[in-house]
Amino acid sequence: MSGETFAFTSSTLRSLRLQREMVEWEERRRAASRELACRRYQPVTRGFLAFPRPGRRPQYCRDPAVHNALYTGDFHKIKSIFKDETTTNLIVESVCEELAWSAELGMWVLTPQKQHTSPLRITSSRGYQDCVKHLLLHGAEVDAVVGGKAALHDSCANHRAECTRLLLSYSADPNILSEEGLAPLHLCTTQESLPCAQLLLEYGALVNQNTRDRRASPLHVAAKHGLDDHVKLYLCYGANIGHRNREGETALNSACASADKPKAAGCYYRVVKRLLESGADAQLAGRKNHTPLHNACSNCHLRIVELLLQHGAEVNIRNCAGYTPVDCALQAVEDYLEGEPEKLIATLLNHGAAPIHPKMLKFCALSPRTMEVILNTYDRILSCDSWMESVPSEVWQEHHVFYDSALCLLNQPRSLQHLARCAIRKQLGRRCHQGIAQLELPSSLQEYLRLPLEGYLK
């Protein structure tokens, strides 16, 4: 087969790679031995000006047995392997195959990528407290940043409170930054990490320390993940509630923008409530001039919208694209059909939202209830083929009573009762949500003024 290529199997390639690693390891070992021998027989002279001692060269470990002992927390093996400063500060190296784009081949290929960590990082991330203590007692550098992070980053990210306490008691820096510019407090992103956050602050972590790139504070991170207890903790330690990140967003903006999952709605509601009660400004706009109300409407979060409106959010402010909060809510209707978007639209209209242009009705094609609320704000229904054509036939058939009543009223006068409702709502304007309750009218008529759903138009 001298003129042909040999088809390597995966096992063959793995064997060749292991052999290459063994050769590299042996070469490094021999080089280290030669250097040690030279130092041993070289005379040492100490003059008036002494040169500083060179730092320790990093030692790499690729032994699977050592890796297995660390990842499984085998305390007896770890005690037998890591006995001094040199071994406890080994760099644990592993190789994994990752997809990378090859411009030469014009395709994605698997390429070996080296990953580095340390014994202290591995044991801290897995909560092996006895192993962590053994490594620290035998000279492990508590603040060593290996593979981009220190051990304290891993213990906090994996909510290992006891390991976090142990590292801090051995003088770990609570404000140490990773290569990505994150402090340990920025990695407390789950409810289970609250004890770690408390320990960090007790040991001097800076509550207003920002990430290097986005300039986000721990309060931003907690608000983004809907962590009410973390938010409360940071505010007690003096977190700056008005701080803006690089995109100009406050913690309130982050919370409202991240509340996009209905299952986590309660968590974000509590965070927003706490921030507003602590003095957060409901009108501060962030990225693309999005206010918290824009973000909450985009996520169809009725309770947060009501909170923001109660705290002075402007209902008709426009973002950079010219959209009001109502526009954002309409564009999200199809994504949140189960979130009762019609109630959100009615709430915004009752707080003085400007009349909705008929061209926006196309966004309500799958929600006839939302369309009913909007059409009941018009004194007459204009012919508009765009929204009629956007309604799927199956939806039209299911709600034919409503759509047939709308067709009958095209370019026709509405009932006198409805026209009176439109006149009263127009007169009340932004005070509609409060003014209706103060009118000396029967409760049934007050409810009629609030745009109730009837399933048809008249």
Side-chain angles (χ1 to χ4, degrees), residues 444-456:
S444 58
L445 288 179
Q446 289 185 359
E447 181 60 24
Y448 178 74
L449 290 174
R450 296 189 179 98
L451 306 177
L453 294 169
E454 298 177 315
Y456 59 92

Side-chain angles (χ1 to χ4, degrees), residues 270-285:
R270 290 190 292 272
V271 169
V272 171
K273 188 173 186 293
R274 188 175 301 280
L275 290 172
L276 288 171
E277 291 176 349
S278 299
D281 191 342
Q283 299 193 47
L284 284 180

Side-chain angles (χ1 to χ4, degrees), residues 197-386:
Q198 291 173 324
L199 286 167
L200 289 168
L201 292 169
E202 289 173 6
Y203 277 84
L206 301 175
V207 73
N208 288 312
Q209 186 174 14
N210 298 324
T211 59
R212 183 185 301 136
D213 296 334
R214 297 197 61 197
R215 306 292 297 169
S217 68
L219 190 63
H220 279 89
V221 175
K224 179 180 178 180
H225 290 88
L227 303 176
D228 180 44
D229 291 334
H230 289 65
V231 170
K232 180 181 179 180
L233 175 67
Y234 299 155
L235 291 174
C236 289
Y237 272 83
N240 181 6
I241 201 169
H243 171 72
R244 294 174 179 242
N245 62 15
R246 193 174 295 280
E247 294 178 336
E249 295 183 339
T250 64
L252 182 60
N253 291 104
S254 297
C256 294
S258 302
D260 56 350
K261 296 180 177 61
K263 291 183 179 180
C267 298
Y268 287 99
Y269 174 81
R270 290 190 292 272
V271 169
V272 171
K273 188 173 186 293
R274 188 175 301 280
L275 290 172
L276 288 171
E277 291 176 349
S278 299
D281 191 342
Q283 299 193 47
L284 284 180
R287 182 172 55 91
K288 298 182 180 179
N289 206 32
H290 255 47
T291 65
L293 188 59
H294 282 96
N295 291 324
C297 288
S298 296
N299 294 326
C300 200
H301 203 309
L302 175 60
R303 296 180 68 198
I304 290 182
V305 167
E306 291 174 339
L307 268 179
L308 293 170
L309 292 172
Q310 291 169 12
H311 285 80
E314 174 54 52
V315 73
N316 287 313
I317 191 171
R318 296 184 180 274
N319 61 16
C320 290
Y323 293 130
T324 64
V326 174
D327 297 330
C328 293
L330 289 172
Q331 294 175 38
V333 165
E334 293 187 3
D335 296 327
Y336 295 97
L337 291 175
E338 296 181 359
E340 299 181 313
E342 66 277 3
K343 293 184 178 180
L344 176 61
I345 298 299
T347 297
L348 293 170
L349 291 170
N350 288 335
H351 280 76
I356 298 172
H357 196 281
K359 70 177 182 180
M360 300 297 290
L361 288 172
K362 61 183 179 181
F363 294 110
C364 308
L366 299 181
S367 178
R369 294 167 66 87
T370 305
M371 190 173 293
E372 180 182 347
V373 170
I374 297 174
L375 291 178
N376 273 332
T377 63
Y378 300 161
D379 56 5
R380 67 183 186 280
I381 300 177
L382 299 175
S383 177
C384 185
D385 295 336
S386 61

Side-chain angles (χ1 to χ4, degrees), residues 390-422:
S390 63
V391 179
S393 58
E394 60 273 15
V395 177
W396 191 291
Q397 292 175 4
E398 182 180 356
H399 302 276
H400 65 91
V401 173
F402 165 72
Y403 289 113
D404 289 345
S405 66
L407 286 177
C408 292
L409 291 175
L410 283 178
N411 298 316
Q412 298 294 323
R414 302 290 295 269
S415 67
L416 183 60
Q417 184 183 30
H418 174 74
L419 293 176
R421 172 169 63 179
C422 291

Side-chain angles (χ1 to χ4, degrees), residues 70 75 78-79 81-85 87-90 118-124 128-142 166 170:
L70 290 168
F75 185 56
I78 287 176
K79 284 200 302 182
I81 297 172
F82 301 97
K83 299 179 178 180
D84 53 29
E85 185 178 352
T87 54
T88 57
N89 289 294
L90 287 172
S118 68
L120 194 59
R121 280 192 59 190
I122 295 172
T123 53
S124 297
Y128 303 142
Q129 186 180 352
D130 292 339
C131 300
V132 171
K133 187 174 183 179
H134 173 81
L135 293 170
L136 291 170
L137 288 173
H138 288 79
E141 296 180 8
V142 70
L166 186 58
Y170 275 79

Side-chain angles (χ1 to χ4, degrees), residues 22-72:
M22 291 295 293
V23 170
E24 292 176 354
W25 174 263
E26 183 63 23
E27 289 177 352
R28 276 198 280 271
R29 188 188 66 79
R30 291 177 179 176
S33 299
R34 287 194 297 269
E35 182 180 354
L36 182 61
C38 292
R39 288 182 180 178
R40 184 174 300 169
Y41 295 105
Q42 186 176 1
V44 178
T45 58
R46 295 184 180 275
F48 181 73
L49 295 176
F51 291 98
R53 183 180 178 181
R56 183 178 63 250
R57 292 183 62 183
Q59 300 292 321
Y60 293 84
C61 175
R62 304 182 182 88
D63 190 341
V66 177
H67 294 191
N68 186 65
L70 290 168
Y71 283 105
T72 59

